[in-house]
C-alpha cells in the first residue's frame, strides 16, 4: 500500500479561520489513535510542504494535524502556534484521535518551537505533550512561543518528556551540528541522522523555480521521510 492509497485529508479551520490539514489514518484503524501536531518552518503558510511526511505518518495509524502559521507576525507566530495546539487537543476526538496521547513535532523553525513547548516548566495550551520530535532544527535561540532556549534548559535539567531528534547529514541550511548540540545536553534524547539535506527529512526537495519545497522524487529524500514518519509513530507509542 502506498501513502497515496491511504491518504484521507480534511482541511478545517482553527483560530480566526486559519487552515489546518487533518491527515487521518487508514479506514478501519482501531481508535482512538495517537495524535501528532506537526509545525512547518519559517516560511509563512507552508503546511502543504509537510503533506508528504504527514501523509506517510498517518499511514502508521496516526492522526496528524498540520496548521498554517506565519513567523512574520508581530509576535513571531506565537499566538497561532499555541492556538493550533489548543485546537488539536479540542478537535482530536472528532477525527478519532486521543487528545491525551499528543506528540508535538516540528521541522526547521517549527522544531525548536515544538521542543521548547514540550519541555517548558509552564507548558501553555493544555497538558504537556507525551513526547516531542525536532526535525532539522536549531535549539540555541529563544523560542517565540515561550522564550525557552532548549539547549540552556536541558543543560540544567532532564527533559520531562521523551525527545526524538532528527537531522540530515547533508543539511546546508542548518547543519547537523545544531541538533548534535542539543543531543549532547539532552543525553536521553534519541538522535537519528539521515543521509539527506534540509528538505529531505520531510520527504521534499527544494525547487528554485517555486522558491519553496515540493514533494520529493529522489530516493534519498523519500527514504529519509519514511524513516522520520516511523520516528513520529515511535514517539506516539506505536511500533
Amino acid at each position: 500500500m502506498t501513502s497515496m492509497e491511504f491518504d484521507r485529508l480534511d482541511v478545517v479551520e482553527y483560530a480566526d479561520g486559519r487552515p489546518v490539514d487533518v491527515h487521518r489514518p487508514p479506514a478501519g484503524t482501531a481508535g482512538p489513535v495517537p495524535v501528532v501536531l506537526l509545525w512547518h518552518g519559517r516560511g509563512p503558510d507552508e503546511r502543504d510542504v509537510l503533506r508528504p511526511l504527514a501523509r506517510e505518518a498517518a499511514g502508521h495509524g496516526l492522526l496528524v494535524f498540520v496548521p498554517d502559521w506565519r513567523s512574520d507576525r508581530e509576535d513571531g507566530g506565537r499566538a497561532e502556534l499555541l492556538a493550533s495546539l489548543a485546537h488539536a487537543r479540542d478537535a482530536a476526538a472528532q477525527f478519532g484521535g486521543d487528545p491525551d496521547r499528543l506528540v508535538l513535532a516540528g521541522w526547521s523553525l517549527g522544531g525548536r518551537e515544538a521542543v521548547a513547548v514540550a519541555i517548558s516548566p509552564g507548558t501553555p495550551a493544555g497538558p504537556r505533550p507525551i513526547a516531542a520530535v525536532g526535525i532539522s532544527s536549531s535549539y540555541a535561540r529563544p523560542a517565540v512561543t515561550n522564550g525557552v532556549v532548549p539547549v540552556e534548559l536541558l543543560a540544567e535539567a532532564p527533559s520531562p518528556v521523551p525527545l526524538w531528534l532528527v537531522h540530515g547529514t547533508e543539511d546546508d541550511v542548518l547543519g547537523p551540528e545544531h541538533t548534535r548540540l542539543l543531543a549532547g545536553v539532552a543525553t536521553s534524547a534519541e538522535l537519528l541522522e539521515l543521509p539527506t539535506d534540509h528538505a529531505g527529512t520531510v520527504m521534499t526537495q527544494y525547487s528554485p523555480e517555486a522558491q519553496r519545497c515540493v514533494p520529493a522524487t529522489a530516493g534519498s529524500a523519500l527514504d529519509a521521510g519514511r524513516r522520520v514518519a516511523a520516528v513520529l509513530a515511535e514517539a506516539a507509542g506505536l511500533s
Side-chain angles (χ1 to χ4, degrees):
M1 179 181 290
T2 68
S3 59
M4 287 300 294
E5 288 172 333
F6 57 63
D7 187 26
R8 303 171 70 214
L9 171 64
D10 298 278
V11 181
V12 298
E13 296 179 350
Y14 72 109
D16 298 323
R18 304 288 287 142
V20 53
D21 286 352
V22 184
H23 295 262
R24 291 182 288 165
T29 301
V33 300
V35 179
V36 172
L37 175 60
L38 182 58
W39 287 336
H40 66 71
R42 184 179 301 278
D45 296 341
E46 288 192 342
R47 77 186 194 282
D48 60 297
V49 168
L50 295 183
R51 280 178 180 163
L53 175 60
R55 182 186 302 125
E56 191 73 24
H60 284 269
L62 299 168
L63 176 66
V64 185
F65 290 85
V66 187
D68 268 347
W69 68 281
R70 299 186 66 100
S71 66
D72 57 358
R73 301 286 195 205
E74 186 174 347
D75 66 353
R78 179 183 187 277
E80 291 179 338
L81 289 169
L82 296 181
S84 72
L85 176 55
H87 176 268
R89 293 191 186 284
D90 293 342
Q94 173 187 349
F95 295 97
D98 182 352
D100 294 326
R101 289 192 291 163
L102 186 145
V103 172
L104 189 53
W107 171 65
S108 198
L109 179 58
R112 179 169 72 227
E113 298 304 321
V115 170
V117 169
I119 67 173
S120 173
T123 301
R128 192 184 303 278
I130 64 169
V133 181
I135 307 166
S136 300
S137 191
S138 63
Y139 305 93
R141 297 183 64 185
V144 301
T145 42
N146 54 18
V148 165
V149 179
V151 167
E152 294 180 0
L153 183 59
L154 293 178
E156 299 173 354
S159 174
V161 299
L163 296 179
W164 276 259
L165 305 173
V166 183
H167 217 111
T169 57
E170 301 171 21
D171 192 332
D172 59 2
V173 176
L174 289 170
E177 66 273 9
H178 292 284
T179 290
R180 291 170 187 161
L181 179 63
L182 185 64
V185 297
T187 53
S188 62
E190 296 284 343
L191 173 61
L192 175 64
E193 294 190 352
L194 298 168
T196 191
D197 61 9
H198 193 69
T201 51
V202 291
M203 218 176 235
T204 65
Q205 58 193 41
Y206 183 73
S207 167
E209 295 78 18
Q211 296 189 343
R212 64 192 290 118
C213 294
V214 298
T217 57
S220 61
L222 294 178
D223 290 343
R226 293 185 184 111
R227 294 283 302 278
V228 176
V231 167
L232 293 173
E234 183 180 0
L238 301 179
S239 59

